[in-house]
Amino acid sequence: HYNPDTAHGVTGSPDDNEWVEIYNPTNNAVTMNNWWIGDTSTSIDRIPNGTTIPAGGYLVISQSSTTPTFWPSTTATFLSLETMIGGGLANANDALFLFDASGATTTVDSVSWGTNVLAFNPGATSVDDGQSLARSVLTTDTDTATDWSTLASPSFGF
């Protein structure tokens, strides 16, 4: 949710209540020790050691600890980085990468939108204020823009 609207916490610029949701499709919990998230390979944030995504569960990452107050009734695990994800996600043309514990060199998943082609070319369609990009089918990853769709009413826990 890189483009929140005023009803969901936009109080400044850049958007301080942007959030990213990571889904764990496996039958086992995943510990994110030394994993990284960001919008390029150099503008990244380390996910704190000890962060775990339960089997079949979701992890929501945001800058602000206030983000969950705008998205009630969630069963997702929440993590506040207290810093903009990758220095802030652009509303029109940007990318997002998840790197595993191999020193932020192995991409686990990625998405780019608008004219940004760092993750794939072409990028997914940019969304309007208050909308979000989401993986269309949680268990399908073809590394193309067709894996992603617009959610008019995003929520934690997809």
Side-chain angles (χ1 to χ4, degrees):
H1 190 60
Y2 62 82
N3 195 0
D5 55 13
T6 54
H8 294 100
V10 174
T11 59
S13 182
D15 299 337
D16 47 4
N17 281 289
E18 298 173 333
W19 52 271
V20 173
E21 182 174 72
I22 303 170
Y23 172 64
N24 173 8
T26 71
N27 293 325
N28 299 302
V30 173
T31 301
M32 309 291 287
N33 288 350
N34 206 34
W35 284 49
W36 301 78
I37 191 166
D39 56 356
T40 67
S41 61
T42 57
S43 181
I44 58 174
D45 300 292
R46 189 174 65 78
I47 297 171
N49 287 341
T51 303
T52 302
I53 308 174
Y58 299 87
L59 171 65
V60 174
I61 301 172
S62 179
Q63 167 198 345
S64 177
S65 59
T66 65
T67 300
T69 64
F70 300 102
W71 304 95
S73 303
T74 177
T75 58
T77 302
F78 180 78
L79 170 65
S80 174
L81 290 177
E82 299 302 327
T83 182
M84 297 297 292
I85 299 167
L89 301 174
N91 292 346
N93 307 299
D94 208 347
L96 183 70
F97 295 87
L98 178 65
F99 301 100
D100 72 8
S102 63
T105 58
T106 302
T107 302
V108 175
D109 204 1
S110 61
V111 60
S112 54
W113 55 91
T115 59
N116 188 298
V117 295
L118 288 176
F120 37 75
N121 189 3
T125 303
S126 294
V127 300
D128 293 332
D129 286 357
Q131 297 180 338
S132 181
L133 276 178
R135 190 171 296 283
S136 302
V137 179
L138 290 178
T139 56
T140 299
D141 184 2
T142 64
D143 291 326
T144 65
T146 60
D147 292 340
W148 300 86
S149 60
T150 300
L151 289 181
S153 300
S155 64
F156 287 0
F158 188 73

